[in-house]
Amino acid sequence: MLAGKRVLLIIGGGIAAYKSLELIRLLQKAGASVVPVLTRAGAQFVTPLSVSALAGHKLYEDLFDLGDEAEMGHIQLSRTADLVVVAPATADLMARMAGGRAEDLASTLLLATDKRVLVAPAMNVRMWTHPATQRNVATLRGDGVLFIGPNDGEMACGEFGPGRMAEPAQIVAAIGAALGGGPLAGRHVLVTSGPTQEPIDPVRFIANRSSGAQGTALAVALRDLGARVTFVTGPASVPPPAGVDVVRVQTAQQMLDAVQAALPADAAVMAAAVADWRVANASAQKMKKDGAGTPPSLAFVQNPDILATVAQGAMRPRLVVGFAAETESVVAHATAKRARKGCDWIVANDVSPKTGIMGGTENAVTVISDTGAEVWPRMAKDAVARRLAEKIAKALQ
Ligand code: C5P
Protein backbone atom coordinates (compact mmCIF):
# COMPACT_ATOMS: atom_id res chain seq x y z
CA MET A 1 0.00 0.00 0.00
CA LEU A 2 2.93 2.38 0.67
CA ALA A 3 5.49 0.79 -1.64
CA GLY A 4 8.32 3.17 -2.47
CA LYS A 5 7.02 5.91 -0.20
CA ARG A 6 9.37 7.71 2.15
CA VAL A 7 8.09 8.91 5.51
CA LEU A 8 10.01 11.35 7.70
CA LEU A 9 8.91 10.31 11.18
CA ILE A 10 9.40 12.80 14.01
CA ILE A 11 9.08 11.13 17.39
CA GLY A 12 8.19 13.61 20.13
CA GLY A 13 8.55 13.22 23.87
CA GLY A 14 5.62 11.36 25.33
CA ILE A 15 4.92 7.95 26.78
CA ALA A 16 3.18 7.07 23.49
CA ALA A 17 6.61 7.16 21.81
CA TYR A 18 6.84 3.42 22.46
CA LYS A 19 4.00 2.97 19.94
CA SER A 20 6.13 4.71 17.31
CA LEU A 21 8.43 1.70 17.28
CA GLU A 22 5.46 -0.42 16.21
CA LEU A 23 4.54 2.30 13.71
CA ILE A 24 7.99 2.03 12.10
CA ARG A 25 7.52 -1.72 11.80
CA LEU A 26 4.06 -1.42 10.24
CA LEU A 27 5.22 1.25 7.79
CA GLN A 28 8.01 -0.99 6.62
CA LYS A 29 5.60 -3.89 6.29
CA ALA A 30 3.45 -1.66 4.08
CA GLY A 31 6.49 -1.01 1.86
CA ALA A 32 7.48 2.46 3.08
CA SER A 33 10.94 3.55 4.13
CA VAL A 34 11.20 5.52 7.36
CA VAL A 35 13.67 8.33 8.05
CA PRO A 36 13.51 8.81 11.82
CA VAL A 37 14.00 12.02 13.78
CA LEU A 38 13.98 11.85 17.56
CA THR A 39 13.48 14.98 19.67
CA ARG A 40 15.50 15.40 22.84
CA ALA A 41 12.36 14.70 24.90
CA GLY A 42 11.53 11.72 22.67
CA ALA A 43 14.90 10.20 23.53
CA GLN A 44 13.78 10.08 27.18
CA PHE A 45 11.10 7.55 26.19
CA VAL A 46 12.67 5.43 23.45
CA THR A 47 16.33 4.85 22.77
CA PRO A 48 18.04 6.20 19.65
CA LEU A 49 19.41 2.73 19.03
CA SER A 50 16.00 1.02 18.97
CA VAL A 51 14.64 3.67 16.61
CA SER A 52 17.50 3.54 14.11
CA ALA A 53 17.75 -0.25 14.31
CA LEU A 54 14.05 -0.72 13.57
CA ALA A 55 14.03 1.93 10.86
CA GLY A 56 17.22 0.54 9.34
CA HIS A 57 18.18 4.14 8.74
CA LYS A 58 20.40 6.79 10.24
CA LEU A 59 18.65 8.61 13.06
CA TYR A 60 18.63 12.41 13.06
CA GLU A 61 18.57 14.12 16.43
CA ASP A 62 20.44 17.37 16.46
CA LEU A 63 20.22 20.49 14.32
CA PHE A 64 23.82 21.34 15.01
CA ASP A 65 25.28 18.01 14.06
CA LEU A 66 27.72 19.25 11.44
CA GLY A 67 28.14 15.76 10.02
CA ASP A 68 24.46 15.81 9.12
CA GLU A 69 24.70 19.27 7.60
CA ALA A 70 27.60 18.09 5.44
CA GLU A 71 25.81 14.89 4.40
CA MET A 72 22.31 16.25 4.20
CA GLY A 73 21.16 19.68 5.37
CA HIS A 74 17.94 20.15 7.27
CA ILE A 75 16.24 21.71 4.26
CA GLN A 76 17.01 18.71 2.11
CA LEU A 77 16.08 16.31 4.92
CA SER A 78 12.67 17.97 5.20
CA ARG A 79 12.00 17.62 1.50
CA THR A 80 13.23 14.19 0.49
CA ALA A 81 10.24 12.57 2.21
CA ASP A 82 6.80 12.11 0.64
CA LEU A 83 5.12 12.90 3.96
CA VAL A 84 6.22 14.22 7.35
CA VAL A 85 4.61 12.43 10.29
CA VAL A 86 4.80 13.57 13.90
CA ALA A 87 3.98 10.74 16.31
CA PRO A 88 3.60 11.32 19.16
CA ALA A 89 2.95 15.03 18.78
CA THR A 90 3.11 16.62 22.22
CA ALA A 91 1.26 19.78 23.24
CA ASP A 92 4.60 21.58 23.29
CA LEU A 93 5.68 20.42 19.85
CA MET A 94 2.31 21.45 18.38
CA ALA A 95 2.60 24.85 20.09
CA ARG A 96 6.00 25.30 18.51
CA MET A 97 4.66 24.26 15.10
CA ALA A 98 1.72 26.66 15.41
CA GLY A 99 4.09 29.45 16.42
CA GLY A 100 6.49 28.82 13.53
CA ARG A 101 9.43 28.17 15.86
CA ALA A 102 12.65 26.62 14.62
CA GLU A 103 14.66 25.97 17.74
CA ASP A 104 15.55 22.32 17.33
CA LEU A 105 15.84 19.85 14.47
CA ALA A 106 12.18 18.69 14.61
CA SER A 107 10.64 22.17 14.60
CA THR A 108 13.09 23.37 11.95
CA LEU A 109 12.21 20.45 9.66
CA LEU A 110 8.51 21.13 10.19
CA LEU A 111 8.98 24.77 9.25
CA ALA A 112 11.22 24.04 6.26
CA THR A 113 9.25 21.21 4.68
CA ASP A 114 7.31 21.59 1.46
CA LYS A 115 5.47 18.30 2.07
CA ARG A 116 2.22 17.59 3.87
CA VAL A 117 2.45 17.03 7.60
CA LEU A 118 0.36 14.52 9.55
CA VAL A 119 0.36 14.73 13.33
CA ALA A 120 -0.76 12.14 15.86
CA PRO A 121 -1.29 14.05 19.11
CA ALA A 122 -0.76 12.35 22.46
CA MET A 123 -1.15 14.06 25.78
CA ASN A 124 -3.14 14.25 29.00
CA VAL A 125 -6.88 14.93 28.57
CA ARG A 126 -6.69 18.37 30.20
CA MET A 127 -3.74 19.35 28.06
CA TRP A 128 -5.61 18.30 24.90
CA THR A 129 -8.84 20.09 25.83
CA HIS A 130 -7.06 23.23 27.07
CA PRO A 131 -8.08 26.25 24.98
CA ALA A 132 -4.41 26.97 24.19
CA THR A 133 -3.94 23.50 22.65
CA GLN A 134 -7.24 23.71 20.82
CA ARG A 135 -6.20 27.11 19.42
CA ASN A 136 -2.96 25.57 18.20
CA VAL A 137 -4.84 22.65 16.64
CA ALA A 138 -7.14 25.08 14.81
CA THR A 139 -4.14 27.08 13.58
CA LEU A 140 -2.38 23.96 12.36
CA ARG A 141 -5.54 22.68 10.65
CA GLY A 142 -5.84 26.06 8.97
CA ASP A 143 -2.25 25.63 7.77
CA GLY A 144 -3.26 22.34 6.14
CA VAL A 145 -1.74 20.04 8.75
CA LEU A 146 -3.54 16.69 8.90
CA PHE A 147 -4.54 15.10 12.20
CA ILE A 148 -5.07 11.51 13.21
CA GLY A 149 -6.57 11.08 16.68
CA PRO A 150 -6.24 11.52 19.52
CA ASN A 151 -8.47 8.66 20.60
CA ASP A 152 -10.63 8.46 23.67
CA GLY A 153 -9.65 6.04 26.36
CA GLU A 154 -7.68 5.32 29.45
CA MET A 155 -4.38 7.17 29.62
CA ALA A 156 -1.00 6.32 31.08
CA CYS A 157 -1.58 9.08 33.66
CA GLY A 158 -4.72 7.28 34.91
CA GLU A 159 -7.25 9.76 33.50
CA PHE A 160 -9.84 8.97 30.86
CA GLY A 161 -10.84 10.90 27.76
CA PRO A 162 -9.40 12.18 24.49
CA GLY A 163 -5.61 12.30 24.42
CA ARG A 164 -4.42 8.77 23.63
CA MET A 165 -2.29 8.60 20.52
CA ALA A 166 -4.02 6.90 17.59
CA GLU A 167 -3.09 3.24 17.26
CA PRO A 168 -0.18 2.53 14.86
CA ALA A 169 -2.48 0.75 12.36
CA GLN A 170 -4.74 3.79 12.34
CA ILE A 171 -1.75 6.07 11.71
CA VAL A 172 -0.63 3.85 8.83
CA ALA A 173 -4.14 4.11 7.33
CA ALA A 174 -4.06 7.90 7.67
CA ILE A 175 -0.61 7.99 6.04
CA GLY A 176 -1.99 5.89 3.18
CA ALA A 177 -4.92 8.27 2.81
CA ALA A 178 -2.66 11.35 2.95
CA LEU A 179 -0.55 9.87 0.19
CA GLY A 180 -3.64 9.05 -1.84
CA GLY A 181 -3.24 5.33 -1.31
CA GLY A 182 -5.95 4.47 1.22
CA PRO A 183 -8.35 1.65 0.33
CA LEU A 184 -11.14 4.20 -0.16
CA ALA A 185 -9.08 6.60 -2.29
CA GLY A 186 -11.22 7.89 -5.15
CA ARG A 187 -14.47 6.82 -3.43
CA HIS A 188 -17.23 9.18 -2.37
CA VAL A 189 -19.06 8.22 0.81
CA LEU A 190 -22.10 10.01 2.15
CA VAL A 191 -22.65 10.00 5.91
CA THR A 192 -25.69 11.34 7.77
CA SER A 193 -25.32 12.09 11.44
CA GLY A 194 -26.87 13.72 14.50
CA PRO A 195 -30.48 14.38 15.41
CA THR A 196 -32.93 16.43 13.41
CA GLN A 197 -34.96 19.25 14.91
CA GLU A 198 -38.57 19.65 13.84
CA PRO A 199 -39.99 23.09 14.60
CA ILE A 200 -43.17 23.61 16.61
CA ASP A 201 -42.92 27.37 16.22
CA PRO A 202 -39.95 29.71 15.59
CA VAL A 203 -38.47 29.08 19.05
CA ARG A 204 -39.52 25.53 19.93
CA PHE A 205 -38.70 22.21 18.35
CA ILE A 206 -38.94 18.45 18.78
CA ALA A 207 -35.61 16.59 18.77
CA ASN A 208 -33.93 13.52 20.24
CA ARG A 209 -30.90 12.65 22.35
CA SER A 210 -28.52 11.69 19.52
CA SER A 211 -25.11 13.34 20.05
CA GLY A 212 -23.82 12.63 16.54
CA ALA A 213 -20.78 10.89 18.07
CA GLN A 214 -21.10 7.64 16.09
CA GLY A 215 -21.74 9.37 12.76
CA THR A 216 -18.84 11.75 13.34
CA ALA A 217 -16.50 8.89 14.22
CA LEU A 218 -17.59 7.13 11.03
CA ALA A 219 -16.87 10.17 8.89
CA VAL A 220 -13.39 10.36 10.44
CA ALA A 221 -12.70 6.66 9.89
CA LEU A 222 -13.87 6.79 6.26
CA ARG A 223 -11.82 9.94 5.64
CA ASP A 224 -8.77 8.26 7.15
CA LEU A 225 -9.12 5.38 4.69
CA GLY A 226 -8.93 7.91 1.85
CA ALA A 227 -12.61 8.49 1.02
CA ARG A 228 -14.06 11.83 0.02
CA VAL A 229 -16.76 12.19 2.64
CA THR A 230 -19.92 14.31 2.45
CA PHE A 231 -21.13 14.69 6.01
CA VAL A 232 -24.75 15.77 6.30
CA THR A 233 -25.40 16.57 9.93
CA GLY A 234 -28.27 17.75 12.08
CA PRO A 235 -27.59 19.92 15.13
CA ALA A 236 -25.22 17.50 16.90
CA SER A 237 -23.47 18.08 20.20
CA VAL A 238 -20.05 16.98 18.90
CA PRO A 239 -18.35 19.19 16.29
CA PRO A 240 -18.08 17.91 12.71
CA PRO A 241 -14.66 16.58 11.73
CA ALA A 242 -12.08 18.39 9.62
CA GLY A 243 -11.25 17.16 6.17
CA VAL A 244 -14.82 16.28 5.14
CA ASP A 245 -17.46 18.27 3.25
CA VAL A 246 -19.89 19.35 5.96
CA VAL A 247 -23.53 20.14 5.12
CA ARG A 248 -25.48 21.38 8.14
CA VAL A 249 -29.23 20.86 8.25
CA GLN A 250 -31.95 21.15 10.83
CA THR A 251 -35.00 19.18 9.71
CA ALA A 252 -35.53 15.75 8.15
CA GLN A 253 -36.78 17.36 4.95
CA GLN A 254 -33.61 19.47 4.70
CA MET A 255 -31.53 16.36 5.38
CA LEU A 256 -33.26 14.51 2.53
CA ASP A 257 -32.64 17.43 0.17
CA ALA A 258 -28.95 17.61 1.17
CA VAL A 259 -28.52 13.85 0.77
CA GLN A 260 -30.08 13.85 -2.68
CA ALA A 261 -27.94 16.81 -3.73
CA ALA A 262 -24.81 14.92 -2.61
CA LEU A 263 -25.48 11.87 -4.80
CA PRO A 264 -23.96 10.06 -6.61
CA ALA A 265 -21.90 8.28 -4.01
CA ASP A 266 -20.22 4.87 -3.83
CA ALA A 267 -21.66 4.26 -0.38
CA ALA A 268 -24.16 5.91 1.95
CA VAL A 269 -24.03 5.42 5.69
CA MET A 270 -27.10 6.76 7.44
CA ALA A 271 -26.25 7.19 11.09
CA ALA A 272 -28.57 10.16 11.70
CA ALA A 273 -31.38 9.83 14.22
CA VAL A 274 -34.02 11.34 11.97
CA ALA A 275 -37.30 12.42 13.55
CA ASP A 276 -40.04 10.11 12.34
CA TRP A 277 -42.66 12.85 12.53
CA ARG A 278 -42.77 16.59 12.15
CA VAL A 279 -45.40 18.99 13.41
CA ALA A 280 -48.07 19.42 10.73
CA ASN A 281 -49.39 22.64 12.14
CA ALA A 282 -46.09 24.36 13.06
CA SER A 283 -46.83 27.99 13.84
CA ALA A 284 -45.19 30.84 11.97
CA GLN A 285 -45.30 32.91 15.17
CA LYS A 286 -44.39 31.98 18.73
CA MET A 287 -47.35 30.15 20.24
CA LYS A 288 -48.96 31.96 23.18
CA LYS A 289 -50.88 30.77 26.22
CA ASP A 290 -54.51 31.54 25.60
CA GLY A 291 -55.25 32.73 29.13
CA ALA A 292 -57.88 30.03 29.70
CA GLY A 293 -55.26 27.36 30.40
CA THR A 294 -56.06 25.31 27.29
CA PRO A 295 -52.87 23.63 26.08
CA PRO A 296 -52.27 23.65 22.33
CA SER A 297 -52.57 20.38 20.49
CA LEU A 298 -49.96 19.36 18.00
CA ALA A 299 -50.78 17.33 14.91
CA PHE A 300 -48.02 15.24 13.37
CA VAL A 301 -47.23 14.16 9.85
CA GLN A 302 -44.70 11.49 8.92
CA ASN A 303 -41.26 12.59 7.70
CA PRO A 304 -39.73 11.14 4.55
CA ASP A 305 -37.58 8.07 5.24
CA ILE A 306 -34.21 9.20 3.91
CA LEU A 307 -32.58 5.78 4.12
CA ALA A 308 -35.44 4.04 2.28
CA THR A 309 -35.60 6.82 -0.32
CA VAL A 310 -31.88 6.49 -1.07
CA ALA A 311 -31.85 2.68 -0.93
CA GLN A 312 -34.80 2.41 -3.32
CA GLY A 313 -33.97 5.43 -5.49
CA ALA A 314 -32.61 5.62 -9.02
CA MET A 315 -29.24 6.91 -7.78
CA ARG A 316 -28.77 4.18 -5.20
CA PRO A 317 -25.13 3.94 -4.06
CA ARG A 318 -23.53 0.52 -4.46
CA LEU A 319 -23.58 0.05 -0.69
CA VAL A 320 -26.28 1.47 1.57
CA VAL A 321 -25.88 1.10 5.33
CA GLY A 322 -28.56 1.99 7.88
CA PHE A 323 -28.59 2.04 11.63
CA ALA A 324 -31.24 0.72 13.95
CA ALA A 325 -31.46 2.06 17.47
CA GLU A 326 -33.77 -0.26 19.37
CA THR A 327 -34.75 -0.77 22.97
CA GLU A 328 -35.96 -4.39 22.67
CA SER A 329 -35.76 -7.41 20.30
CA VAL A 330 -32.84 -5.65 18.63
CA VAL A 331 -31.89 -8.26 16.02
CA ALA A 332 -35.46 -9.14 15.06
CA HIS A 333 -36.47 -5.51 14.61
CA ALA A 334 -33.28 -4.65 12.75
CA THR A 335 -33.60 -7.62 10.41
CA ALA A 336 -37.14 -6.58 9.52
CA LYS A 337 -35.95 -3.00 9.06
CA ARG A 338 -33.24 -4.06 6.62
CA ALA A 339 -35.82 -5.74 4.41
CA ARG A 340 -38.35 -2.93 4.71
CA LYS A 341 -35.90 -0.16 3.85
CA GLY A 342 -33.98 -2.05 1.17
CA CYS A 343 -30.51 -1.32 2.51
CA ASP A 344 -27.55 -3.72 2.39
CA TRP A 345 -26.53 -3.65 6.04
CA ILE A 346 -28.17 -2.54 9.24
CA VAL A 347 -25.95 -1.66 12.17
CA ALA A 348 -28.17 -2.39 15.14
CA ASN A 349 -27.71 -1.35 18.72
CA ASP A 350 -29.61 -1.38 21.99
CA VAL A 351 -30.18 2.17 23.15
CA SER A 352 -32.20 1.41 26.27
CA PRO A 353 -31.00 3.79 29.02
CA LYS A 354 -29.37 0.95 30.99
CA THR A 355 -26.79 0.47 28.19
CA GLY A 356 -25.54 4.09 28.38
CA ILE A 357 -24.96 3.96 24.62
CA MET A 358 -27.02 6.92 23.49
CA GLY A 359 -24.89 9.98 24.24
CA GLY A 360 -22.08 7.77 25.60
CA THR A 361 -18.61 6.98 24.23
CA GLU A 362 -19.11 3.24 23.64
CA ASN A 363 -21.29 1.14 21.42
CA ALA A 364 -22.16 -2.54 21.12
CA VAL A 365 -23.47 -3.30 17.65
CA THR A 366 -24.72 -6.19 15.57
CA VAL A 367 -24.21 -5.87 11.83
CA ILE A 368 -27.02 -7.45 9.87
CA SER A 369 -26.47 -8.27 6.21
CA ASP A 370 -27.66 -10.87 3.73
CA THR A 371 -25.25 -13.33 5.35
CA GLY A 372 -26.81 -13.00 8.80
CA ALA A 373 -26.05 -11.19 12.05
CA GLU A 374 -22.45 -10.41 13.14
CA VAL A 375 -22.25 -9.56 16.85
CA TRP A 376 -19.39 -7.16 17.65
CA PRO A 377 -18.12 -6.76 21.21
CA ARG A 378 -18.77 -3.52 23.07
CA MET A 379 -16.04 -1.01 22.19
CA ALA A 380 -15.41 2.73 21.82
CA LYS A 381 -17.54 4.41 19.15
CA ASP A 382 -14.43 5.30 17.16
CA ALA A 383 -13.31 1.66 17.21
CA VAL A 384 -16.77 0.63 15.90
CA ALA A 385 -16.36 3.30 13.23
CA ARG A 386 -12.94 2.06 12.15
CA ARG A 387 -14.11 -1.54 11.93
CA LEU A 388 -17.16 -0.52 9.95
CA ALA A 389 -15.10 1.71 7.64
CA GLU A 390 -12.78 -1.23 6.95
CA LYS A 391 -15.76 -3.46 6.20
CA ILE A 392 -17.09 -0.81 3.84
CA ALA A 393 -13.71 -0.52 2.10
CA LYS A 394 -13.67 -4.29 1.62
CA ALA A 395 -17.19 -4.31 0.22
CA LEU A 396 -16.33 -1.59 -2.30
CA GLN A 397 -13.15 -3.31 -3.52
O1 C5P B 1 -36.96 3.47 11.13
P1 C5P B 1 -35.83 3.85 11.97
O2 C5P B 1 -35.80 5.31 12.34
O3 C5P B 1 -35.58 3.00 13.16
O4 C5P B 1 -34.57 3.57 11.01
C1 C5P B 1 -33.27 3.92 11.36
C2 C5P B 1 -32.43 4.10 10.13
O5 C5P B 1 -33.14 4.80 9.14
C3 C5P B 1 -31.22 4.94 10.39
O6 C5P B 1 -30.20 4.53 9.50
C4 C5P B 1 -31.70 6.34 10.10
O7 C5P B 1 -30.64 7.20 9.75
C5 C5P B 1 -32.63 6.09 8.94
N1 C5P B 1 -33.78 7.01 8.84
C6 C5P B 1 -33.86 7.89 7.81
N2 C5P B 1 -34.96 8.71 7.67
C7 C5P B 1 -35.96 8.65 8.56
C8 C5P B 1 -35.90 7.73 9.62
C9 C5P B 1 -34.79 6.94 9.75
O8 C5P B 1 -32.93 7.94 7.00
N3 C5P B 1 -37.00 9.45 8.41
Side-chain angles (χ1 to χ4, degrees):
M1 163 177 145
L2 295 173
K5 299 291 185 191
R6 196 174 160 100
V7 173
L8 183 71
L9 174 65
I10 297 173
I11 303 175
I15 185 67
Y18 80 92
K19 289 198 212 166
S20 301
L21 300 178
E22 172 73 355
L23 176 62
I24 294 173
R25 215 182 54 77
L26 291 183
L27 283 170
Q28 287 176 329
K29 224 166 112 190
S33 61
V34 179
V35 179
V37 174
L38 189 60
T39 66
R40 187 171 300 205
Q44 302 292 319
F45 293 90
V46 289
T47 72
L49 188 60
S50 51
V51 173
S52 60
L54 274 171
H57 197 286
K58 179 180 166 50
L59 172 71
Y60 296 90
E61 287 184 274
D62 195 343
L63 187 55
F64 299 106
D65 182 339
L66 291 179
D68 290 351
E69 284 294 326
E71 280 171 40
M72 182 188 280
H74 60 271
I75 302 289
Q76 200 190 340
L77 181 58
S78 75
R79 298 189 181 171
T80 48
D82 296 297
L83 185 73
V84 180
V85 176
V86 189
T90 60
D92 177 63
L93 189 46
M94 290 198 306
R96 284 187 282 140
M97 287 172 75
R101 308 294 293 262
E103 57 209 354
D104 64 356
L105 179 60
S107 52
T108 304
L109 293 173
L110 286 159
L111 197 60
T113 189
D114 58 354
K115 297 299 178 338
R116 296 206 81 178
V117 177
L118 171 75
V119 306
M123 68 198 70
N124 167 272
V125 178
R126 299 267 165 224
M127 292 172 77
W128 171 253
T129 53
H130 194 285
T133 303
Q134 290 304 309
R135 262 197 314 274
N136 292 332
V137 170
T139 301
L140 293 172
R141 284 207 160 111
D143 292 345
V145 170
L146 302 166
F147 279 78
I148 176 73
N151 291 348
D152 267 19
E154 212 167 299
M155 327 235 349
C157 55
E159 288 184 46
F160 189 90
R164 280 170 65 91
M165 187 168 88
E167 293 306 318
Q170 216 186 324
I171 300 176
V172 173
I175 291 170
L179 292 171
L184 287 173
R187 304 284 188 201
H188 177 211
V189 182
L190 174 64
V191 178
T192 69
S193 181
T196 64
Q197 290 178 351
E198 308 297 332
I200 296 170
D201 68 16
V203 297
R204 303 181 178 96
F205 56 80
I206 291 173
N208 60 67
R209 293 186 200 283
S210 166
S211 63
Q214 187 63 81
T216 301
L218 262 162
V220 167
L222 292 160
R223 174 202 70 188
D224 289 348
L225 293 186
R228 175 167 76 84
V229 177
T230 301
F231 184 67
V232 179
T233 179
S237 49
V238 298
V244 305
D245 298 327
V246 180
V247 185
R248 292 174 201 267
V249 298
Q250 187 192 5
T251 65
Q253 187 58 54
Q254 289 167 358
M255 187 172 274
L256 175 64
D257 294 343
V259 161
Q260 282 177 323
L263 293 174
D266 297 285
V269 187
M270 310 298 216
V274 185
D276 289 320
W277 304 281
R278 66 178 178 277
V279 179
N281 54 343
S283 167
Q285 303 301 329
K286 185 181 172 200
M287 290 161 71
K288 297 289 198 194
K289 289 181 280 247
D290 70 355
T294 323
S297 66
L298 298 177
F300 288 92
V301 38
Q302 194 157 326
N303 266 330
D305 190 312
I306 304 167
L307 174 60
T309 308
V310 168
Q312 295 164 30
M315 290 179 80
R316 185 193 204 277
R318 189 138 68 85
L319 183 72
V320 179
V321 182
F323 278 68
E326 306 288 350
T327 53
E328 50 159 7
S329 312
V330 176
V331 172
H333 281 152
T335 304
K337 192 165 290 179
R338 175 176 171 270
R340 198 167 61 240
K341 305 221 185 202
C343 57
D344 300 293
W345 305 342
I346 282 273
V347 181
N349 59 6
D350 184 345
V351 292
S352 20
K354 66 175 190 309
T355 65
I357 283 174
M358 201 136 190
T361 57
E362 291 188 337
N363 207 351
V365 305
T366 300
V367 181
I368 291 156
S369 66
D370 59 353
T371 56
E374 238 179 70
V375 181
W376 292 5
R378 189 176 173 121
M379 57 183 115
K381 283 183 177 172
D382 51 7
V384 171
R386 283 198 295 279
R387 193 159 157 180
L388 196 60
E390 275 159 23
K391 194 173 164 74
I392 291 169
K394 218 172 266 169
L396 291 180
Q397 258 169 14

